[in-house]
Amino acid sequence: MPLSSLISSLPKAELHLHIEGSLEPQLMWDLAKKHAIRLPYASVAQIEAAYQFADLQSFLDVYYAGASVLLDEDDFFKLMWSYLCRCREQNIVHAEIMFDPQAHTGRGISYQTFMPGFIKAIARAEDEWGMSVKLILSFLRHLSEEEAFTTLAQAKPYYRFIEAVGLDSSEKGHPPAKFKNVFARARQLGFKVVAHAGEEGPSDYIWQAIHLLGVDRIDHGVRCLEDPALVSLLRERQIPLTVCPLSNLKLKVIKDMGQHTLFTLLEQDLLVTVNSDDPTYFGGYLNKNFNVLHEALNMDAQQLRKLVSNSFKASFMEDAQKQHWIDKVNAYF
Ligand code: ADE
Ligand code: ZN
């Protein structure tokens, strides 16, 4: 079987996906029309053409502007539903999905609007094809820790639908240390903990995320290679890294895909996974990320097998459920 067919047919988990980063240009266009919002684009093609970024911040400016078309419960349902339908097409059987409450509460849209939309779409996908989904509430790190505390408190009616808390947005100048109290509170409440670290920011932010936030997983983390002691710690503790190849290329963390260090990380026995981050902005969903690794770095079937098994191993599923999927993956080889 050609590797691209194997990539599409294998059952996979996606662990690093921002739901707001899965907003398709066509849906953005339709929702802007529905709510009579003026976009700075004259067509869907112009929206797509605008997705050229110099760095993380230039992307985030476009990403938050795009999210402004999401106003009512049905908009959030459609956003989640479209991504879950993509999962079905791509054989993503389990997804751990981040959402940015403050990107909405900051515009006067409450949890009571977006959470019911998300929850209804997830329930339907679970019901219709047995997809499994967990939600990760992510704090925006360019805002204050006090605002993160408010965001966590506002989520209280929905705690049972949320698996973990995370940390995203502008990395440089906003170290994990800034959020250590709110992460301690989240852990006390029983949430799992993840954080973006070492994407654009220094490897020291990965240390901080481990020691000050107590993370279960690091999002990105590619800059760990600058520090051999950190690589040893990640290996010993098997702290997963949710790596996003197309994102790293689009945000100029790397110059070309041939330079991506994902397989260096894998060779060092780190628990690396492949993810799409913000697929509509970065040019591809999960299978495309695997395909570019094959095209640019000659990923072979055994490396694919390891990465896909890791996606389940690094997830927040129950152990028996992880094993069930890892056995299914192994059966393909
Ligand atoms: N929010 C959405 N995508 C992000 C990324 N790649 N890094 C930080 N914050 C984000
Ligand atoms: Zn991300």
Side-chain angles (χ1 to χ4, degrees):
M1 195 190 290
L3 208 71
S4 61
S5 311
L6 192 55
I7 289 169
S8 5
S9 33
L10 279 170
K12 295 164 290 278
E14 174 144 69
L15 308 180
H16 182 164
L17 178 286
H18 303 264
I19 198 63
E20 294 85 355
S22 73
L23 177 62
E24 286 285 348
Q26 184 65 55
L27 183 56
M28 190 192 294
W29 184 258
D30 295 345
L31 294 180
K33 206 161 154 199
K34 168 182 165 187
H35 297 298
I37 293 170
R38 280 174 72 101
L39 290 174
Y41 314 106
S43 64
V44 174
Q46 267 195 20
I47 302 180
E48 281 161 3
Y51 293 171
Q52 303 297 333
F53 312 112
D55 54 16
L56 176 57
Q57 191 57 53
S58 63
F59 154 68
L60 289 169
D61 295 342
V62 174
Y63 165 92
Y64 294 124
S68 69
V69 301
L70 300 161
L71 293 181
D72 63 32
E73 181 187 315
D74 190 59
D75 302 343
F76 289 97
F77 173 88
K78 285 207 172 77
L79 175 68
M80 182 61 79
W81 182 246
S82 313
Y83 170 66
L84 298 176
C85 291
R86 290 284 178 166
C87 288
R88 188 180 199 180
E89 284 168 20
Q90 302 234 332
N91 279 319
I92 298 169
V93 296
H94 175 77
E96 303 191 350
I97 302 177
M98 291 180 234
F99 65 106
D100 286 336
Q102 291 156 294
H104 313 303
T105 54
R107 304 179 285 117
I109 313 292
S110 77
Y111 273 87
Q112 281 64 31
T113 299
F114 54 81
M115 287 306 283
F118 291 157
I119 290 165
K120 283 174 192 164
I122 292 168
R124 187 166 158 194
E126 286 171 344
D127 209 44
E128 282 191 20
W129 64 87
M131 165 116 201
S132 81
V133 177
K134 295 186 186 293
L135 287 174
I136 303 175
L137 182 171
S138 294
F139 302 120
L140 299 185
R141 70 202 300 159
H142 66 275
L143 301 177
S144 68
E145 185 179 52
E146 197 185 333
E147 288 164 294
F149 266 111
T150 305
T151 301
L152 183 61
Q154 288 168 338
K156 195 166 178 195
Y158 301 100
Y159 282 174
R160 70 193 172 91
F161 298 104
I162 298 168
E163 180 76 12
V165 302
L167 186 65
D168 63 8
S169 196
S170 324
E171 189 180 10
K172 284 187 201 155
H174 301 285
K178 183 176 158 188
F179 295 93
K180 73 176 193 313
N181 299 307
V182 73
F183 272 71
R185 175 82 189 120
R187 277 190 281 116
Q188 243 173 27
L189 288 168
F191 293 111
K192 296 268 196 323
V193 167
V194 301
H196 283 53
E199 177 186 14
E200 260 192 358
S203 54
D204 177 52
Y205 284 14
I206 305 175
W207 283 108
Q208 289 187 27
I210 296 168
H211 290 123
L212 303 180
L213 306 186
V215 291
D216 298 284
R217 273 196 320 242
I218 295 283
D219 293 314
H220 295 293
V222 285
R223 289 192 59 186
C224 70
L225 284 170
E226 293 164 17
D227 182 344
L230 177 58
V231 172
S232 299
L233 179 76
L234 292 167
R235 177 174 44 244
E236 277 155 28
R237 295 209 195 158
Q238 287 291 289
I239 299 171
L241 303 181
T242 62
V243 176
C244 309
L246 282 171
S247 164
N248 295 153
L249 183 67
K250 274 291 216 180
L251 301 187
K252 306 211 163 31
V253 169
I254 50 167
K255 285 207 186 72
D256 64 73
M257 198 51 80
Q259 287 184 347
H260 205 290
T261 54
L262 185 139
F263 293 110
T264 312
L265 298 166
L266 202 63
E267 279 155 24
Q268 308 241 9
D269 290 326
L270 301 195
L271 185 39
V272 181
T273 67
V274 174
N275 306 272
S276 70
D277 205 4
D278 300 284
T280 54
Y281 292 95
F282 300 151
Y285 287 85
L286 185 59
N287 290 350
K288 176 85 181 277
N289 276 271
F290 279 110
N291 276 306
V292 295
L293 291 174
H294 175 51
E295 286 152 20
L297 292 159
N298 293 318
M299 178 183 68
D300 64 25
Q302 287 313 315
Q303 288 168 321
L304 173 64
R305 177 184 188 164
K306 181 84 183 158
L307 289 166
V308 173
S309 299
N310 282 354
S311 76
F312 294 107
K313 198 168 168 193
S315 76
F316 295 136
M317 287 174 160
E318 299 292 326
D319 285 346
Q321 210 186 353
K322 289 184 188 184
Q323 198 53 53
H324 163 84
W325 287 114
I326 292 170
D327 290 345
K328 292 241 180 218
V329 171
N330 287 336
Y332 274 82
F333 294 85

